[in-house]
Structures are given as structure tokens and as C-alpha cells.
DNA sequence: CCCGGAATAC
DNA sequence: GTATTCCGGG
């Protein structure tokens, strides 16, 4: 059997050193509004390409950390891509520094030209059970992953004011929670770092929730075509490589559509995924300070969460959230490894698209993997063949083939790669409505109402805070908003934590939690 | 080298 | 909104 149901998506190291890597990270349009290639994406591109390992490469040992070995070259490449010949490392690095606040990147202090993607924390917390060897043959495309044994010893996680405190104040009162929140709020917009896990994590979850909704057949409300079409993003260099960590995401999007045998107890039930458990939960679990869950269950749970990670389209600040929000995600996948479990159907390549047919530059004639035969017959929602997808093309096309030796045949524009278009099948029904909130947990007995209430109070409280408009200078206000955003996150996390906990403990409570959460949301 | 503010471009 | 450009400062 393949890597096996639930574990399938989690461990694929066997494939040949292939590690998981958030596929969402490659989504060019991860940032709504910006049709242009983004630097972090570009970096990832280079990172993923073996041909550039001498220019930029993952740093062994630290997941998500990479070193720019040749700053000038990277800058040059970036400049080329953006048609900014004057680009240099100084400027590029400035752009990178802007990512700090967005929490896309961190600077690895002390190490020259070394940065670290933030999602390491995003992913790892969800794969504590991955059985992999970081020192194994880690392909350029795969960021080093800490061993399971390294056990969450995130340099940045356990340092400064930890999340666990402010976000996961177990039985804290609204008061204490608020203090924490305030503290967060007072913080400078560029926090030391230790809070991304939760927030990003949660965002991922939220996103997934949204997707669930979309996948639940609600997509009818959308007018955007992209939510129906799932373009498979093919990376020429890696596509054919089944071992590539980028060909992951066997989940193929919607967690709700997964066939991954996730624990029946902690499956993609509405109780859990509709209201996304707090990301703080994961770290909390890890620290093993708050709860004593059955490792097995926990594993399943985390695996479930993993879905969100895979589906998480990095957009730290732009991913909308909210229970009712439908996220029209055009999703790009590389290769589906366990197609039989994907409720998606392949669709003939959208050659109709203008820039599709012009396979002009040799860059991407990459043979698109035959997904079709792999995809099992599934119920497919008739879709209007609108624009398959909004794929941008760069005016830089004029550059045609680069003088770059590496670039010549290789690709520099993954975005232009052949796309596979698949459309998700509409799930039988809305998991929200029919999913059973039942969970396998009934072991715990302590009532969680307290936490729940606290969370709720907190919720309203924060909401109130959010409501009031302050007349600050644009700039300050932005920062303020940023902080508030974080406050909101913290608050919501709190609430969700209680929800998830309740859900885990008792089905009934779970339902109530949902109601509460729903109320709070609305 | 690295950091961010500010202005600016897109 | 992201990135570029410039830059004073550690």
C-alpha cells in the first residue's frame, strides 16, 4: 500500500528523501491583489531548483532555513524576473526584510545571507510523528526537516513570550487572557517571532474550513471560476520526479474531500474543522503540558491538521477568515500521489487559454503527468468552462530564453509550466450539515465550560475593541490594525481551542461549542 | 552585513 | 498591497 491513508500524506520520505513541503508555498497568487511574482515565491522557486543550489540552498539542519550563497546572483535573477536590472542584494534583502513583519521570513541571526521561512513552524507542529531523517539525501527542493526526535525544539518557539501563555491560557479568565492580548497588542509590529505558529496554523485551518465549504457544493455562490478549477501546478524540473517533496499534497485540496483515513474520532468533522481548532493547540500538545491525549489519537488529529497545512496557501495577512467566508482558491498541485483518493476529475488542458498554447519558449514543454488515468471516476460537478484559471504571465516574456546556462533549458518561470486542470467533485453533502460531530473522545471528564465562557467573553471583548475606530495617522493605524489582527487571532484561537477541546471530550459539548462559536462568529 | 524608515513605483 | 529605491544608522 502506498504510504498509507492518513500517514500517506504525512510520510513520504520513503519516496527517496522526499519531504513534505507546503505546496501552498508555491502558489504564486498566494497574495490576492498581487498578480506579480512575489519574492518569497521566487526564492522558493530557486530553492526548489537543483540548478541553483550553488546560488541558494536550504540550510541543512534547520527546517525552512536557507542560505543565499551568491547574493549577487540571486539578486540578478530576481532582477531579471522582475525586469529590474538595477536589482541588487541590498534591495532584495530589503524586500526580504519586509517579510519579517509579514512573518513569512525570519532572519537567522548570526548567519550571513541566511533566512528562514516561517512555515517551518507551520508544518512541523503538524508532523511530529513524521519518521524521517533530516540528514538523508535531502534534495535541493526539500527544506531540511528536523527529525521527529528533534521534537519541536524550535529555536524561536521556546524563546520569548510564548504563545502558550497568551493564547493558550488553559483555564485563564478573560481578564488574564486580555492581559495577554494587550501585551500582544502593545508589541511592535515586528514581534520577535514566536507567534506565527499559531496564527499561521490557524489561518491554514480556517482556510481549509472555507474550502470545505466550497467543496461542499456551496461553490455555487461563487462566480469565480478558479474555485472550481483546480489547476495542477507542474514544476518541470520536479514534476516527473515522484520523489520530489513538491509533488506532495496528495490531499489535493479540500480536507473535507479527503479519503484519507483519518481517525474516525478526530476526523474532518464539522466540530473540528468548521471552527478550526486553535493552532495553539498543537504547540500546546507538543509541549505536553496541558493535555494528555492518546498519542495515537493525537497523531490522527495532527494528521488531520496536516491537511490544512497542505492546503494552506501562505498569505499570512491576506487570507480572509470567517465562518461564512468562501475562499475561491485556485489550487495548484504538483502531482497526486494517491489519486485514487482524490475526488477530483481531470480536465483536458485548457489549451484555449491564450498563453497556454504558446508553449513558446522551450522552458516548459514538460510533459504533464498523466493524471487522468490515475484519477478514479468520481462525481464531478458540471462546470462552466470559464477561464480555467487566472494565470499571469510576465511581460518579461521578451526575455525568452535566458543567457543563463542553468536557465536555458530549465525553467525559470514555473508559473508558465504546463497546468493540469482538474475540478473538484462536489462532495456528496455538506459536512457541516451532515457530518457527525461525534468524536472518539470521552475520556476526559473535566468540564470545559469555563474555558469556553472565557473564550466567549474574550471574544466579545475583543470584538468591541476592534469595532472602535481610532483616528490615528495612517501609518500608526496600520500598525494598530496589525496588532488588532493579532488580537483577533489570539482571541479566536482561544475560542477555537475551547471548541476543539470540547469536541474532543464530548460530542454533545462539541455541538454546543459549534453553536457558541457560530454565534460568536456572527 | 543587517536593519528599518521614507518615498516612490507599479 | 508588494516591491524598489535610497539611505542613515548599528
Amino acid at each position: 500500500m502506498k504510504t498509507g491513508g492518513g500517514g500517506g500524506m504525512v510520510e513520504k520520505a520513503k519516496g527517496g528523501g522526499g519531504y513534505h513541503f507546503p505546496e501552498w508555498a508555491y502558489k504564486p497568487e498566494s497574495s490576492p491583489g498581487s498578480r506579480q511574482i512575489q519574492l518569497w515565491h521566487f526564492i522558493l522557486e530557486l530553492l526548489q531548483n537543483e540548478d541553483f543550489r550553488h546560488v541558494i540552498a536550504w540550510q541543512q539542519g534547520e527546517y525552512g532555513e536557507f542560505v543565499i550563497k551568491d547574493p549577487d546572483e540571486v539578486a540578478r535573477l530576481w532582477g531579471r524576473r522582475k525586469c529590474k536590472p538595477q536589482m541588487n542584494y541590498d534591495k532584495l534583502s530589503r524586500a526580504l526584510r519586509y517579510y519579517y513583519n509579514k512573518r513569512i521570513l525570519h532572519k537567522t541571526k548570526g548567519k550571513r545571507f541566511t533566512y528562514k521561512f516561517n512555515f517551518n513552524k507551520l508544518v512541523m507542529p503538524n508532523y511530529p510523528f513524521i519518521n524521517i531523517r533530516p540528514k538523508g539525501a535531502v534534495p535541493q527542493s526539500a527544506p531540511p526537516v528536523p527529525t521527529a526526535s528533534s521534537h519541536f525544539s524550535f529555536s524561536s518557539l521556546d524563546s520569548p513570550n510564548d504563545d502558550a501563555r497568551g493564547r493558550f491560557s488553559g483555564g485563564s479568565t478573560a481578564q488574564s487572557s486580555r492581559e495577554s492580548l494587550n501585551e500582544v497588542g502593545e508589541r511592535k509590529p515586528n514581534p520577535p517571532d514566536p507567534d506565527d505558529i499559531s496564527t499561521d496554523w490557524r489561518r491554514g485551518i480556517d482556510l481549509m474550513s472555507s474550502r470545505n465549504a466550497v467543496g461542499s457544493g456551496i461553490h455555487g455562490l461563487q462566480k469565480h471560476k478558479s474555485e472550481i478549477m483546480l489547476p495542477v501546478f507542474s514544476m518541470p524540473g520536479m514534476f516527473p520526479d515522484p520523489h520530489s517533496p513538491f509533488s506532495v499534497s496528495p490531499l489535493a485540496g479540500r480536507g473535507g474531500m479527503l479519503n484519507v483515513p483519518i481517525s474516525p474520532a478526530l476526523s474532518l468533522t464539522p466540530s473540528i474543522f468548521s471552527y478550526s481548532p486553535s493552532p495553539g493547540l498543537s504547540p500546546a500538545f507538543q509541549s505536553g503540558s496541558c493535555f494528555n491525549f492518546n498519542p495515537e489519537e493525537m497523531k490522527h488529529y495532527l494528521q488531520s491538521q496536516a491537511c490544512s497545512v497542505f492546503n494552506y496557501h501562505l498569505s499570512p495577512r491576506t487570507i480572509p477568515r470567517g465562518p461564512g467566508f468562501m475562499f475561491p482558491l485556485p489550487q495548484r498541485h504538483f502531482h497526486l500521489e494517491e489519486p485514487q483518493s482524490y475526488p477530483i476529475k481531470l480536465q483536458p488542458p485548457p489549451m484555449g487559454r491564450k498563453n497556454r498554447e504558446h508553449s513558446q519558449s522551450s522552458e516548459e514543454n514538460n510533459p504533464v503527468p498523466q493524471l487522468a488515468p490515475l484519477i478514479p471516476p468520481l462525481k464531478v460537478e458540471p462546470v462552466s468552462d470559464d477561464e480555467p484559471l487566472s494565470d499571469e504571465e510576465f511581460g518579461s516574456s521578451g526575455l525568452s530564453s535566458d543567457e543563463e546556462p542553468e536557465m536555458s533549458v530549465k525553467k525559470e518561470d514555473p508559473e508558465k509550466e504546463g497546468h493540469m486542470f482538474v475540478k473538484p467533485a462536489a462532495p456528496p453533502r455538506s459536512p457541516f450539515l451532515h457530518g457527525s460531530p461525534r468524536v472518539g473522545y470521552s475520556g476526559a471528564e473535566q468540564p470545559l465550560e469555563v474555558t469556553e465562557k472565557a473564550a466567549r467573553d474574550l471574544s466579545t471583548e475583543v470584538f468591541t475593541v476592534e469595532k472602535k475606530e481610532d483616528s490615528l495617522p495612517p501609518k500608526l493605524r496600520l500598525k494598530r490594525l496589525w496588532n488588532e489582527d493579532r488580537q483577533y487571532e489570539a482571541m479566536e484561537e482561544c475560542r477555537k481551542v475551547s471548541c476543539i477541546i470540547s469536541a474532543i471530550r464530548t460530542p454533545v459539548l462539541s455541538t454546543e461549542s459549534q453553536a457558541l462559536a457560530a454565534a460568536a462568529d456572527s
Side-chain angles (χ1 to χ4, degrees), chain A residues 383-409:
Chain A
V383 57
S384 55
D385 27 287
D386 259 340
E387 317 237 284
L389 140 86
S390 60
D391 48 55
E392 72 276 273
E393 54 186 359
F394 303 101
S396 57
S397 55
L399 306 168
S400 59
S401 56
D402 318 70
E403 63 272 33
E404 233 76 8
E406 318 93 85
M407 298 296 216
S408 54
V409 182

Side-chain angles (χ1 to χ4, degrees), chain A residues 1-5 8-9 12 230 232 239 242 247-254 257-261 333-346 369-380 420 422-425:
Chain A
M1 65 188 254
K2 43 228 82 224
T3 19
M9 63 191 192
K12 64 173 307 183
L230 291 183
V232 172
F239 217 141
S247 59
V248 278
S249 192
L251 304 178
R254 286 84 223 228
M257 303 173 71
L258 296 177
N259 280 344
V260 192
H333 294 276
F334 297 123
H335 192 203
L336 307 179
E337 305 217 327
E338 300 180 351
Q340 73 287 348
S341 62
Y342 307 126
I344 56 178
K345 184 183 178 183
L346 206 54
Q370 61 305 14
L371 272 173
L374 301 176
I375 305 298
L378 289 157
K379 176 185 177 183
V380 175
M420 217 47 167
V422 295
K423 54 187 175 183

Side-chain angles (χ1 to χ4, degrees), chain A residues 2-4 6-21 127 129-133 142 238-239 241-250 310 334-338 342:
Chain A
K2 43 228 82 224
T3 19
M9 63 191 192
V10 178
E11 54 138 350
K12 64 173 307 183
K14 53 163 65 172
Y19 295 121
H20 287 292
F21 197 85
Y127 301 94
F129 306 99
I130 298 177
N131 177 28
I132 49 177
R133 313 269 169 280
M238 49 143 282
F239 217 141
D241 176 14
H243 304 323
S244 171
F246 299 101
S247 59
V248 278
S249 192
F310 278 122
F334 297 123
H335 192 203
L336 307 179
E337 305 217 327
E338 300 180 351
Y342 307 126

Side-chain angles (χ1 to χ4, degrees), chain A residues 199-222:
Chain A
T199 56
D200 288 345
W201 200 70
R202 188 185 61 65
R203 283 201 182 91
I205 305 285
D206 279 353
L207 214 184
M208 196 179 105
S209 299
S210 301
R211 288 198 183 186
N212 279 340
V214 172
S216 301
I218 308 177
H219 60 280
L221 301 175
Q222 320 272 343

Side-chain angles (χ1 to χ4, degrees), chain A residues 2 10 18 103 110 252 293 307 337 361 408 428 453 456 486:
Chain A
K2 43 228 82 224
V10 178
R103 289 176 288 177
F293 280 143
C307 304
E337 305 217 327
S361 32
S408 54
K453 272 202 178 83
R456 221 181 349 146
R486 298 166 63 80

